[in-house]
Amino acid sequence: QVHLVESGGGSVQAGGSLRLSCAASGDTYGRNCMGWFRQAPGKEREGVAGINTNDGSTYYAEAVKGRFTISQGDTKNTVYLQMDSLKPEDTAMYYCLISLSELSDGSCGVPRPNFGYWDQGTQVTVSS
């Protein structure tokens, strides 16, 4: 079993910033891909940003490139998502996820929603 503890989120005006954090514990051995996916009301879940905790490689969805930054904390399974220049369309429930790599070279990518373990999410609301 994997346990994920996520914090951050909240409400902010457009152009503002928020920071999410996520710490994974338990059976994390071999699960080197962490990140976030989100779901807005009435929309499908979509990957947002990912990181390979073995080498720090990062991956971003086009919608957030240049505005969001994913990083790793002092411990391998702690990651952060710094969200700047937030837009109303970023409003969604954000879910932290940890998973195995699906690729033979061990690389990750933008998280595929519902693959691996994820938490109950935290709400991010951006008002115009």
Side-chain angles (χ1 to χ4, degrees):
Q1 284 284 356
V2 175
H3 185 54
L4 294 159
V5 177
E6 182 178 9
S7 62
S11 297
V12 67
Q13 288 191 325
S17 299
L18 287 171
R19 188 191 197 209
L20 306 181
S21 65
C22 179
S25 60
D27 185 19
T28 60
Y29 181 78
R31 306 182 198 279
N32 61 301
C33 300
M34 290 189 69
W36 276 267
F37 64 90
R38 66 187 180 186
Q39 186 169 26
K43 295 188 176 181
E44 293 188 353
R45 291 180 170 181
E46 61 174 357
V48 175
I51 188 166
N52 184 334
T53 58
N54 284 343
D55 63 12
S57 298
T58 57
Y59 314 87
Y60 298 95
E62 285 296 326
V64 306
K65 274 185 182 177
R67 301 188 297 120
F68 290 12
T69 304
I70 189 169
S71 61
Q72 201 167 353
D74 291 338
T75 59
K76 181 179 180 181
N77 294 321
T78 299
V79 293
Y80 303 97
L81 184 66
Q82 178 67 39
M83 304 183 291
D84 298 320
S85 302
L86 282 161
K87 303 176 181 179
E89 50 264 44
D90 294 317
T91 295
M93 188 71 78
Y94 283 70
Y95 299 86
C96 177
L97 175 146
I98 185 170
S99 71
L100 301 167
S101 169
E102 295 185 85
L103 302 173
S104 59
D105 64 356
S107 60
C108 298
V110 176
R112 182 158 66 89
N114 304 338
F115 177 73
Y117 291 89
W118 60 95
D119 68 346
Q120 294 188 345
T122 188
Q123 179 67 38
V124 171
T125 302
V126 185
S127 58
S128 57

